[in-house]
Amino acid sequence: MKALVLQMRGIDDPSREVERAQYLKYTGLSELEVDFVDLYEQHDWNAQNLQDYDVLFIGGISKDEAEELSWPEEKFPFIHNLRDSMQLAIEKKIPALLSCGGFVIAGDMLGGETLAKLENHELGVIAIQKSPQAENDIFLASVPAILPIVCGHIKYFEKAPPDTDLLYFSDTYEPGIPLQAFKVQGAPFYAFQGHPEISSSDLFDRIKPMMYRKHYFPKREVHPEDEKYGYNHEAFIQA
C-alpha cells in the first residue's frame, strides 16, 4: 500500500504537522507507506504522479478567506494541478477520500454552488445523517446512520454537485442542509465536509493557532474585548 496525502497548509501553519500525524494515526499506515506533498511548497506538483499511488487523501486548506467563494490562481498557484489530480483520480478510479478544503474545492470543480455562512456556522462535533444512497455503498454500508464527525467550516453546499451521490447531510441550517458528504458516480471518489481523519479530542489542536481563531471566531461589532484579542475569545473558550 502506498498512499498520497495532498496538503494545503504551508510551512508557517502549525496544523500541517498535526494533520500529518493524524493521517498516520487514523489510517494505521507507517511513514514509509505515506507520502505527504504540501501544495503551497510544491505548487507545480504533476498530477500524473498520482498513478504511482494506491489511494489519495486530500485534507483541509489554510489561507483562504471565509467569504472567498472562488480559488484564484494568483492566490492558490497550485489550484489547476490540484484539480487535475482530482480529475485523474476520478478518471483512473483511484480511491480518494477528501475532507474539509478538499471537499469544497472538489464540489466547486464538479459544478456545485459554493455558499458561505459567516455567523452561526458549524463548528464542533456534528451528528450527520446518512442518505438512502449511502445504505448500499460499498464503503459506507456498515457506517452508522447517524455519524458524529468533527466539523469546522464556513463554506458549504446545499446540494450535491452534478453527477455525484449525496451520502450524508445535516439539518443545521435548514432541513437537509448543509451537504456533508458526496461520492462521484462511477468512481471511488468520496468527499466529506467534516474530518473523518481526526477525533473530537484533536479538534482543539486544530483551531488553537491564531489564524484559525480569527477564521472561525471573527470579531463582533461593539465588543471591545474582541478588539483586544483579535477574535471572539468568548466563543473560542466555549468551543
Side-chain angles (χ1 to χ4, degrees), residues 82-93:
L82 174 60
R83 288 172 176 153
D84 287 346
S85 297
M86 292 178 177
Q87 292 284 10
L88 186 63
I90 294 169
E91 176 187 337
K92 299 295 184 181
K93 294 182 170 54

Side-chain angles (χ1 to χ4, degrees), residues 36-164:
F36 293 93
V37 173
D38 192 323
L39 295 174
Y40 275 113
E41 290 185 301
Q42 301 182 46
H43 57 262
D44 57 350
W45 160 261
N46 188 337
Q48 294 300 319
N49 293 334
L50 178 59
Q51 297 188 77
D52 297 331
Y53 295 91
D54 301 300
V55 62
L56 169 66
F57 297 99
I58 303 176
I61 186 169
S62 307
K63 305 177 183 178
D64 63 317
E65 299 297 331
E67 65 277 9
E68 285 183 328
L69 300 182
S70 63
W71 307 95
E73 187 173 8
E74 57 270 21
K75 184 171 183 180
F76 307 100
F78 54 78
I79 193 67
H80 290 300
N81 291 326
L82 174 60
R83 288 172 176 153
D84 287 346
S85 297
M86 292 178 177
Q87 292 284 10
L88 186 63
I90 294 169
E91 176 187 337
K92 299 295 184 181
K93 294 182 170 54
I94 299 170
L97 180 61
L98 286 62
S99 61
C100 199
F103 166 93
V104 73
I105 293 173
D108 174 77
M109 179 190 76
L110 294 167
E113 181 184 6
T114 309
L115 304 171
K117 189 173 178 63
L118 299 180
E119 296 181 357
N120 301 317
H121 48 266
E122 289 185 325
L123 180 64
V125 179
I126 309 299
I128 61 177
Q129 304 174 53
K130 200 174 193 179
S131 73
Q133 295 97 316
E135 292 292 347
N136 298 317
D137 183 81
I138 191 171
F139 179 48
L140 295 174
S142 61
V143 177
I146 303 296
L147 176 65
I149 191 169
V150 171
C151 204
H153 63 93
I154 292 173
K155 301 178 180 69
Y156 71 99
F157 298 95
E158 291 187 347
K159 299 178 181 179
D163 301 316
T164 71

Side-chain angles (χ1 to χ4, degrees), residues 148-189:
I149 191 169
V150 171
C151 204
H153 63 93
I154 292 173
K155 301 178 180 69
Y156 71 99
F157 298 95
E158 291 187 347
K159 299 178 181 179
D163 301 316
T164 71
D165 292 326
L166 165 68
L167 299 177
Y168 274 90
F169 62 92
S170 64
D171 295 327
T172 311
Y173 304 152
E174 295 180 39
I177 298 173
L179 168 72
Q180 295 287 353
F182 66 82
K183 173 189 174 293
V184 172
Q185 294 171 359
F189 188 94

